[in-house]
Amino acid sequence: MKLNLDIAVPSSQAWIDAVMADFDSFLQDHADCERKASAMAMSFVAKYPDRTEIIPELIETAVEELEHFQQVYKLMESKGIKLQHSIGEDLYVKALIKKCHSGRLERFMDRLLIASVLETRGAERFKMVADALEDQELREFYKMLWISEAKHGHIFVKMALQYFDEKIVYNRLAWWIEQESEAIQNLEIRPALH
Ligand SMILES: [Fe+2]
Ligand SMILES: [Fe+2]
């Protein structure tokens, strides 16, 4: 069942062109994003250990993201590409986190909804990458990732709906989609996931 909301602004041709022009750099950033996605799922477990209803799914999501990291890293190894030495600030994620409510309960909902929006954007971009690739094996890999991130986009909304009223969740999610549109359009075009 579809629980997330679609992103409002599609990724640009300029972005996919930048990715395809320097796929090695994209892979380096992509690997980092998967590792961070795993850490983000586990950070919910660390911050909200009393939310027992969602912990199994958070752990499962963290494991899936870590598997994605492992798969991207294997691909990098096969191409002789190393992980990035220093990890730059993710301005896109930072711009969104900055807009979170400060109250503990509202912040919990906001972080779940941001996670959904990030996953939904990731899915949209992986689909674009899959469509642009010529190598059949790589295409299949990015298609698999697209489906997986789209599923994560739903899961985080499902988690929010466990604790908050549906109307409140969707009003706020629609607001986050607007914020995300602004954040993604403010980004410099680079061969990176965002
Ligand atoms: Fe992932
Ligand atoms: Fe994901």
Side-chain angles (χ1 to χ4, degrees):
M1 192 169 78
K2 181 175 164 60
L3 293 171
N4 68 338
L5 294 181
D6 291 331
I7 44 154
V9 176
S11 295
S12 66
Q13 187 62 41
W15 172 77
I16 190 68
D17 289 347
V19 169
M20 299 314 288
D22 187 357
F23 204 71
D24 291 0
S25 295
F26 174 73
L27 283 176
Q28 287 180 313
D29 179 74
H30 177 187
D32 283 340
C33 288
E34 298 290 3
R35 182 180 47 71
K36 283 189 253 181
S38 180
M40 181 186 71
M42 286 312 292
S43 79
F44 280 104
V45 176
K47 279 186 193 126
Y48 308 102
D50 50 332
R51 305 288 187 181
T52 52
E53 299 81 0
I54 61 173
I55 288 179
E57 224 161 15
L58 284 167
I59 297 170
E60 206 176 298
T61 304
V63 169
E64 280 175 18
E65 301 292 18
L66 202 55
E67 277 170 4
H68 294 167
F69 174 71
Q70 187 178 41
Q71 289 164 326
V72 179
Y73 185 66
K74 266 193 193 140
L75 182 62
M76 288 169 68
E77 261 190 317
S78 74
K79 290 174 175 281
I81 306 167
K82 292 206 168 89
L83 290 167
Q84 275 167 325
H85 215 61
S86 64
I87 297 146
E89 236 183 359
D90 193 328
L91 296 172
Y92 165 74
V93 174
K94 204 178 158 195
L96 293 176
I97 298 284
K98 220 171 64 188
K99 292 180 178 180
C100 273
H101 266 305
S102 52
R104 181 167 165 83
L105 202 58
E106 291 94 337
R107 197 172 178 82
F108 174 51
M109 183 175 77
D110 274 348
R111 295 203 82 125
L112 289 171
L113 298 183
I114 288 179
S116 166
V117 174
L118 295 180
E119 296 284 351
T120 305
R121 174 64 73 184
E124 186 246 6
R125 290 201 154 181
F126 288 149
K127 182 180 187 306
M128 269 182 106
V129 171
D131 289 345
L133 283 164
E134 273 167 25
D135 181 284
Q136 197 52 38
E137 213 176 308
L138 261 186
R139 273 180 88 104
E140 289 303 317
F141 177 52
Y142 276 91
K143 204 176 145 196
M144 179 280 288
L145 289 175
W146 150 41
I147 292 164
S148 176
E149 311 306 2
K151 184 190 79 181
H152 295 158
H154 300 301
I155 282 176
F156 283 106
V157 177
K158 193 175 103 188
M159 291 179 190
L161 290 170
Q162 289 246 8
Y163 301 107
F164 303 97
D165 178 75
E166 191 177 328
K167 211 175 149 200
I168 293 172
V169 167
Y170 281 103
N171 277 341
R172 189 70 175 164
L173 184 56
W175 182 83
W176 277 117
I177 295 284
E178 279 173 37
Q179 307 313 306
E180 195 273 346
S181 299
E182 200 185 300
I184 203 93
Q185 290 180 101
N186 283 341
L187 280 185
E188 177 199 343
I189 300 280
R190 337 176 268 141
L193 191 57
H194 10 81

